[in-house]
Amino acid sequence: MNWILAGFLMFFCSVIQYLLVRKSVLLKIPSQFTNLAMFLIPVIMFGVTAISLGTDLSVNWFEFLVIAIMAFFFSYLGNIFSLKSIEFAPNPGYSLVLSKSYVVFTTLIAIPLFSQQLTPRAALAIAIIVLSSAIITITGKAKPAAHVRPSWLPLAVGAFFCWGMLSVASKYLLLIGVDVLPRLIYTMSIVTLIIAAEIHMKKMRWQALSKTAWGVLFGIGVLSAGFNYFMQEGFVTAPNIGYINAMNASSIGLVVIGSAIFFRDEFSWRKFIGVVGVIIGLMLLVV
């Protein structure tokens, strides 16, 4: 699959998924259930796909070790670091911009590690996307001092490296011959078990969820499967894994517009300028 097509399919899955996540917040669905849907439903879908296609899911002990490290240290902990950093930061946008800037890290590190290219035009496009995302996410509303903790900064840096290394490890596994489906199945299965254990220990009741909540969670899970699959397919053929990560980061622009339309979220002139910048950066990257 062409990396641009894979990137745009990932892009649209990301946008709709996060609009549904926004809906889940309004429905007061516990975040643990939302996280579980993001991993459990894709595992089921990928498992059925692998069985129907007769995909070889075997991996050696070293490959499984890398997958396990990815699952716990990069995927699960990266998500925790990001959520905690957003909670403690004086402005949520500060944390998001720092953690999402991992696109710069992956773009640069892919050059010596995987002999991937970076054209001046692509570098400019990525810079525009990152700066425009900052304009969108950093708001003028500061949190009360009582909610702010200095730990937000190291937590954001932790999320930055976790997500960056998740992309690097994914590309490494592809290069040593681990196909997309087995890697996604094993990685997401491990995270699913961790989240399920957390739900069990906290004695959370899924029976309390409404039919609407179940529908939203199902949609989130299906879109998470599409997002992760097309991201990995993009990593296979993209000139640089950072290009795919940049397309992922640029989806924030459409999420902001969708949130304003469907949930009446704030949409100021400053955010409009940021969205335009993201679109310009995306066009520079793929045209």
Side-chain angles (χ1 to χ4, degrees):
M1 180 184 293
N2 178 277
W3 74 270
I4 295 177
L5 174 60
F8 273 115
L9 290 172
M10 172 204 69
F11 175 97
F12 286 111
C13 284
S14 175
V15 170
I16 302 172
Q17 176 189 339
Y18 279 100
L19 289 176
L20 287 180
V21 169
R22 178 76 174 88
K23 179 67 174 178
S24 75
V25 172
L26 295 176
L27 292 173
K28 301 188 185 305
I29 300 173
S31 60
Q32 291 86 349
F33 290 133
T34 303
N35 288 337
L36 185 64
M38 286 184 178
F39 290 93
L40 176 59
I41 293 175
V43 167
I44 295 171
M45 292 176 64
F46 294 145
V48 171
T49 301
I51 292 171
S52 63
L53 296 176
T55 304
D56 181 11
L57 299 178
S58 61
V59 294
N60 61 42
W61 68 268
F62 174 74
E63 292 165 346
F64 185 79
L65 178 62
V66 175
I67 289 171
I69 291 172
M70 282 177 57
F72 182 75
F73 289 100
F74 302 153
S75 183
Y76 179 69
L77 288 185
N79 190 52
I80 289 178
F81 290 158
S82 176
L83 292 175
K84 284 296 182 183
S85 178
I86 291 170
E87 180 182 347
F88 297 151
N91 187 308
Y94 298 165
S95 173
L96 285 170
V97 169
L98 180 54
S99 59
K100 288 289 186 181
S101 296
Y102 78 94
V103 56
V104 178
F105 168 70
T106 55
T107 303
L108 295 177
I109 201 171
I111 299 172
L113 282 183
F114 308 126
S115 300
Q116 296 198 305
Q117 70 178 45
L118 175 63
T119 65
R121 177 173 177 154
L124 175 62
I126 291 170
I128 291 173
I129 289 171
V130 171
L131 291 174
S132 299
S133 297
I135 293 172
I136 293 170
T137 55
I138 295 178
T139 68
K141 299 176 181 178
K143 289 184 180 178
H147 297 284
V148 176
R149 299 184 188 177
S151 57
W152 78 268
L153 182 57
L155 285 167
V157 173
F160 172 99
F161 282 108
C162 282
W163 287 339
M165 291 305 298
L166 184 64
S167 296
V168 171
S170 295
K171 183 63 177 180
Y172 172 72
L173 286 170
L174 287 169
L175 291 176
I176 64 174
V178 181
D179 290 335
V180 170
L181 279 179
R183 182 165 40 77
L184 285 173
I185 289 171
Y186 295 135
T187 302
M188 302 186 88
S189 293
I190 293 170
V191 179
T192 296
L193 291 174
I194 295 171
I195 298 172
E198 179 185 357
I199 291 173
H200 177 71
M201 287 188 291
K202 292 184 176 180
K203 295 182 167 57
M204 303 180 72
R205 292 173 54 83
W206 55 266
Q207 294 91 337
L209 296 175
S210 66
K211 289 182 179 180
T212 301
W214 278 109
V216 169
L217 289 175
F218 179 75
I220 288 172
V222 171
L223 290 161
S224 175
F227 168 79
N228 282 280
Y229 180 79
F230 292 122
M231 172 181 275
Q232 300 305 319
E233 284 293 324
F235 285 160
V236 174
T237 56
N240 189 306
I241 57 175
Y243 295 4
I244 296 298
N245 290 329
M247 294 184 74
N248 180 23
S250 69
S251 66
I252 189 175
L254 203 53
V255 170
V256 168
I257 294 174
S259 295
I261 294 172
F262 296 110
F263 306 118
R264 300 293 188 268
D265 287 351
E266 176 194 6
F267 189 72
S268 62
W269 276 106
R270 180 178 53 77
K271 288 190 176 183
F272 175 75
I273 292 170
V275 169
V276 171
V278 164
I279 294 171
I280 292 172
L282 185 59
M283 292 301 100
L284 273 175
L285 184 65
V286 301
V287 174

